[in-house]
């Protein structure tokens, strides 16, 4: 693989950088970790998504017919890198672009593609993902939410948990059991659910950062038309696996780590301890050198996933490797940053003594969650062992 970019690709990177310089919200502190998903912050996300939509940049690699620009996967990677490096507020469309859209492109009818992909790229809708249940996380195929066919409709009853952004979302990708008699992987269907449908209750779950990011969702006789079904009835498990492959590819980005590394290096250069610059302390230098190597490796693993996508392949254990390494790497980087700052590193963003706006402390808590979302480290290791290395099921 040739890791160098072409001159057109380099020019595209510069174009994205220039645009970001002019269009990032003025008061944006370049730090999503200091902000809650409150309505005011959400307006910033939505406003930024609208600006991207005006340039057809919500999902620039999607086909022109669906609101994209048909850019190459490598250009999309460059685009994602710049967004991550500048910590742009792209949360409004991230689930829609990252994993709903790609799954609908593979399995949707032409009508579903027109309706949903166009709305995502116009930044008109936000999506959430209703997969996990109280007793079905790692073992997702055990899910119990039921969808029962009734004439031209399905009626949904059950509960989901950890649904990120459900309190703000317009639509939801939902897994529900349609055949309780079939083996557990073979009785699940995949639905595209309008969150305004009567019978849906969303309750907040407050995370350890004290943020309202995810929720519980309850379904009581929620009636949806049969054209909300994606693909064939009882084939939902296989489509969900595709969604998770896309999800793990998106979570794996390493570039946010590069930006944090640069910030902690700058901090270590500017800060003195016992009359010496922190950056001249050997243990600090060793931590930073390790972190620099890991950021580089993480980026190459992301490139591997992107390179497969550019060849029309759906990465599988390769996404798991990138996801596992990159979430772990970002967690170690956040920890290294906090330790380099000493006790100040543990302060929260509101403290007047906090260095670097409390970003490393926030990142440490955030990445702990990220390592679980989309499948825990143990589950990623199982996938790598079985599908990557061909080892027998443990
Ligand atoms: C920040 C965040 C956001 C999330 N957003 C969403 C969302 O939007 N939509 C959604 O549907 N879900 C979401 N989730 C849920 C997430 O997918 C689940 O938490 C995850 O799949 C783990 O499931 P669980 O919590 O039920 O843990 P469990 O599956 O109960 O796992 C508990 C422990 O047992 C281990 N374990 C389980 N099975 C095995 C095995 N076979 N081998 C080895 N170890 C095993 C796990 O690794 C873990 O350490 C989110 C989670 C987080 C943290």
């Amino acid at each position: 693989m040739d890791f160098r970019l072409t001159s057109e690709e380099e020019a595209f990177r510069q174009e994205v950088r220039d645009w970001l310089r002019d269009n990032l919200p003025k008061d944006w502190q370049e730090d999503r970790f200091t902000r809650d998903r409150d309505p005011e912050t959400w307006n910033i996300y939505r406003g930024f998504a609208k600006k991207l939509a005006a340039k057809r940049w919500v999902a620039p690699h999607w086909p022109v017919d669906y609101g994209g620009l048909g850019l190459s996967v490598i250009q999309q990677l460059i685009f994602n890198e710049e967004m991550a490096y500048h910590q742009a507020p792209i949360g409004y469309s991230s689930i829609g672009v990252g994993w709903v859209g790609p799954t609908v492109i593979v399995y949707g009818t032409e009508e579903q593609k027109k309706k949903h992909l166009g709305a995502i790229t116009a930044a008109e809708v936000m999506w959430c993902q209703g997969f996990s249940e109280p007793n079905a996380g790692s073992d997702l195929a055990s899910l119990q939410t039921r969808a029962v066919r009734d004439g031209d409709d399905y009626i949904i009853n059950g509960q989901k948990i950890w649904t990120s952004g459900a309190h703000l979302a317009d639509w939801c990708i939902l897994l529900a059991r349609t055949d309780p008699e079939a083996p557990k992987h073979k009785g699940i269907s995949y639905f595209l659910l309008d969150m305004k449908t009567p019978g849906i209750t969303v309750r907040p779950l407050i995370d350890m950062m004290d943020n309202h990011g995810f929720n519980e969702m309850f379904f009581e006789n929620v009636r949806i038309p049969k054209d909300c079904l994606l693909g064939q009835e009882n084939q939902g498990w296989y489509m969900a696996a595709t969604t998770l492959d896309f999800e793990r590819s998106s979570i794996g980005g390493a570039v946010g780590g590069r930006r944090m590394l640069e910030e902690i290096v700058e901090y270590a250069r500017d800060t003195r301890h016992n009359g010496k610059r922190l950056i001249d302390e050997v243990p600090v230098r060793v931590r930073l050198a390790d972190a620099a190597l890991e950021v580089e490796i993480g980026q190459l693993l992301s490139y591997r996933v992107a390179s497969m996508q550019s060849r029309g392949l759906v990465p599988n254990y390769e996404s798991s490797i990138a996801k596992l390494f990159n979430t772990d790497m970002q967690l170690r980087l956040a920890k290294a940053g906090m330790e380099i700052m000493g006790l100040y590193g543990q302060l929260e963003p509101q403290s007047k003594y906090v260095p670097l706006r409390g970003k490393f402390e926030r990142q440490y808590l955030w990445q702990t969650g990220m390592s679980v979302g989309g499948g825990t480290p143990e589950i990623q290791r199982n996938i790598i062992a079985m599908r990557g290395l061909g080892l027998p099921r443990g």
Side-chain angles (χ1 to χ4, degrees):
M1 180 174 169
D2 183 354
F3 290 106
R4 281 167 304 185
L5 299 177
T6 64
S7 51
E8 289 80 30
E9 287 163 348
E10 290 290 7
F12 179 62
R13 188 187 287 286
Q14 194 55 47
E15 185 187 346
V16 178
R17 275 186 193 159
D18 292 345
W19 186 85
L20 279 170
R21 195 191 48 233
D22 297 339
N23 287 282
L24 274 178
K26 288 271 171 297
D27 64 344
W28 187 250
Q29 293 188 337
E30 298 183 336
D31 191 352
R32 69 193 151 109
F33 306 111
T34 61
R35 297 194 176 236
D36 201 345
R37 287 190 191 189
D38 57 21
E40 189 206 327
T41 308
W42 207 245
N43 277 337
I44 296 178
Y45 278 78
R46 200 197 313 261
F48 191 72
K50 288 280 179 205
K51 282 187 178 181
L52 288 172
K55 275 196 75 79
R56 298 175 84 91
W57 270 7
V58 172
H61 62 308
W62 286 7
V64 175
D65 279 357
Y66 304 138
L69 288 170
L71 298 187
S72 71
V73 174
I74 300 299
Q75 283 172 308
Q76 178 68 22
L77 178 84
I78 293 169
F79 181 83
N80 290 350
E81 283 187 345
E82 290 305 316
M83 292 292 147
Y85 183 82
H86 292 90
Q87 287 159 8
I90 53 166
Y92 183 78
S93 312
S94 53
I95 293 182
V97 173
W99 48 100
V100 175
T103 312
V104 171
I105 288 175
V106 177
Y107 297 107
T109 60
E110 213 36 58
E111 208 172 303
Q112 284 170 330
K113 289 183 199 172
K114 282 251 141 56
K115 173 173 175 175
H116 293 297
L117 303 177
I120 291 171
T121 47
E124 282 165 1
V125 289
M126 182 194 153
W127 282 79
C128 67
Q129 177 185 26
F131 283 15
S132 306
E133 296 184 3
N135 292 312
S138 301
D139 183 16
L140 185 58
S142 294
L143 60 90
Q144 294 300 321
T145 294
R146 285 294 314 275
V148 177
R149 186 72 185 262
D150 182 44
D152 277 348
D153 298 332
Y154 284 94
I155 299 177
I156 314 229
N157 280 285
Q159 185 197 342
K160 297 286 168 182
I161 195 168
W162 314 123
T163 325
S164 303
H167 55 306
L168 302 158
D170 308 289
W171 284 80
C172 175
I173 42 173
L174 180 84
L175 294 182
R177 189 162 299 285
T178 33
D179 184 353
E181 307 304 326
K184 63 181 183 177
H185 294 89
K186 297 191 170 155
I188 295 171
S189 298
Y190 196 125
F191 295 96
L192 308 173
L193 171 78
D194 184 342
M195 289 292 283
K196 288 187 291 301
T197 318
I200 305 174
T201 306
V202 176
R203 290 201 199 133
L205 286 172
I206 305 303
D207 66 22
M208 64 181 167
M209 295 164 75
D210 215 16
N211 277 348
H212 175 195
F214 41 39
N215 306 270
E216 291 179 293
M217 282 201 292
F218 299 88
F219 303 95
E220 212 176 318
N221 295 324
V222 176
R223 182 177 281 275
I224 55 170
K226 71 173 189 311
D227 61 10
C228 292
L229 180 73
L230 185 71
Q232 303 288 311
E233 194 177 86
N234 295 326
Q235 293 295 306
W237 176 255
Y238 307 98
M239 291 178 256
T242 307
T243 301
L244 289 171
D245 285 336
F246 284 121
E247 177 176 356
R248 288 163 189 158
S249 325
S250 329
I251 290 177
V255 176
R258 185 174 297 286
R259 176 68 177 266
M260 293 193 61
L261 175 68
E262 287 172 8
E263 288 183 66
I264 191 67
V265 167
E266 206 177 307
Y267 175 85
R269 266 203 200 104
D270 294 345
T271 309
R272 288 184 170 270
H273 180 63
N274 292 339
K276 238 175 137 184
R277 293 190 317 162
L278 278 179
I279 196 125
D280 295 325
E281 305 269 2
V282 171
V284 172
R285 295 179 78 81
V286 169
R287 291 300 288 270
L288 293 175
D290 279 348
L293 284 174
E294 290 192 8
V295 167
E296 195 67 29
I297 293 166
Q299 198 162 0
L300 294 178
L301 289 173
S302 301
Y303 283 179
R304 180 189 192 191
V305 170
S307 140
M308 289 182 69
Q309 288 170 332
S310 74
R311 285 175 282 137
L313 305 169
V314 178
N316 171 252
Y317 68 89
E318 298 87 349
S319 313
S320 291
I321 295 174
K323 196 251 169 184
L324 179 66
F325 186 87
N326 279 325
T327 47
D328 229 35
M329 174 272 281
Q330 299 212 44
L331 196 60
R332 279 195 297 272
L333 176 58
K335 187 161 182 276
M338 281 167 66
E339 286 173 0
I340 289 170
M341 292 172 204
L343 290 176
Y344 290 102
Q346 295 172 38
L347 293 172
E348 295 193 343
Q350 304 85 311
S351 165
K352 65 178 178 179
Y353 302 107
V354 71
L356 300 179
R357 304 183 304 282
K359 182 175 192 170
F360 283 73
E361 182 263 359
R362 293 285 98 178
Q363 170 78 329
Y364 185 68
L365 298 180
W366 169 261
Q367 285 301 334
T368 304
M370 283 291 96
S371 68
V372 173
T376 65
E378 289 77 13
I379 295 307
Q380 305 311 324
R381 289 195 171 94
N382 281 345
I383 294 171
I384 296 163
M386 287 188 293
R387 300 194 204 146
L389 299 173
L391 297 177
R393 182 177 282 274

